[in-house]
Amino acid sequence: MSSVRIGYGEDAHRLEAGRELWLGGLKVPDAPVGAVAHSDGDAVLHAVADALLSGLALGDIGQYFPDTDPAHAGLDSRVILRRCLELVQERGYLPQNVALVVTLDRPKLGPLRQQIAQSVAALLALDEGAVGVSFKTSEGLAPAHVQVRVTVLLAAHD
Ligand code: C5P
Ligand code: MG
């Protein structure tokens, strides 16, 4: 198997008023809408976790944390990400850098860019500079929707 592998992950959640909006392990303050989800609905952490798994062809998070299992209701997505990181490490690989894109019309996330990068980096034991965070609006095409796309580079460790 190659010593470097690329992983790609996506996640989306529907947004509704009166719900919390979690992104990258952070609760977005004063968000007018939040994710409708079985877990905490953190689409960033779900997409990063799927990217880790996909890089080693390990399937996706639904296989490890089925959303039909009542035990996973309200699950902290950091638990999901930590487990996926372990699965990668057990196979001899470590993430090197992450590039993530969040598509969300509101609220504006620019002020949270550094905190989200720091949070995701800490969960993956990476430097903050190894996590690139971009934000896009949907230009009003999907106002009740958050979409996240993530690539990750994995490398074999000693
Ligand atoms: O998608 P668009 O090109 O219109 O985004 C313009 C700017 O708005 C970008 O610089 C992006 O970082 C920022 N943005 C943001 N929060 C969002 C969506 C976009 O800060 N939820
Ligand atoms: Mg999700």
Side-chain angles (χ1 to χ4, degrees), residues 100-157:
L100 70 91
V101 183
V102 181
T103 302
L104 178 74
D105 280 1
R106 66 191 178 112
K108 283 290 179 194
L109 295 171
L112 296 178
R113 192 187 314 269
Q114 192 178 8
Q115 274 177 274
I116 291 175
Q118 283 170 346
S119 173
V120 172
L123 288 165
L124 297 175
L126 290 171
D127 293 335
E128 179 190 334
V131 180
V133 179
S134 308
F135 304 119
K136 303 302 293 180
T137 67
S138 78
E139 296 283 352
L141 293 172
H145 182 250
V146 60
Q147 171 86 47
V148 182
R149 301 174 175 93
V150 176
T151 55
V152 62
L153 185 68
L154 305 175
H157 62 80

Side-chain angles (χ1 to χ4, degrees), residues 10-13 36-37 39-47 61 77 80:
E10 290 198 10
D11 195 34
H13 283 278
V36 179
S39 68
D40 62 17
D42 192 323
V44 169
L45 296 190
H46 296 170
I61 57 174
S77 296
I80 298 175

Side-chain angles (χ1 to χ4, degrees), residues 29-129:
D30 304 321
V33 288
V36 179
H38 187 65
S39 68
D40 62 17
D42 192 323
V44 169
L45 296 190
H46 296 170
V48 173
D50 263 357
L52 291 173
L53 295 177
S54 81
L56 297 180
L58 297 175
D60 66 53
I61 57 174
Q63 294 172 252
Y64 301 87
F65 297 93
D67 64 8
T68 48
D69 186 341
H72 299 147
L75 185 63
D76 179 341
S77 296
R78 291 174 296 188
V79 172
I80 298 175
L81 184 57
R82 287 194 192 105
R83 179 65 192 133
C84 293
L85 181 60
E86 272 174 13
L87 289 165
V88 163
Q89 288 171 334
E90 284 165 9
R91 284 158 180 80
Y93 284 78
L94 285 172
Q96 304 298 305
N97 76 295
V98 173
L100 70 91
V101 183
V102 181
T103 302
L104 178 74
D105 280 1
R106 66 191 178 112
K108 283 290 179 194
L109 295 171
L112 296 178
R113 192 187 314 269
Q114 192 178 8
Q115 274 177 274
I116 291 175
Q118 283 170 346
S119 173
V120 172
L123 288 165
L124 297 175
L126 290 171
D127 293 335
E128 179 190 334

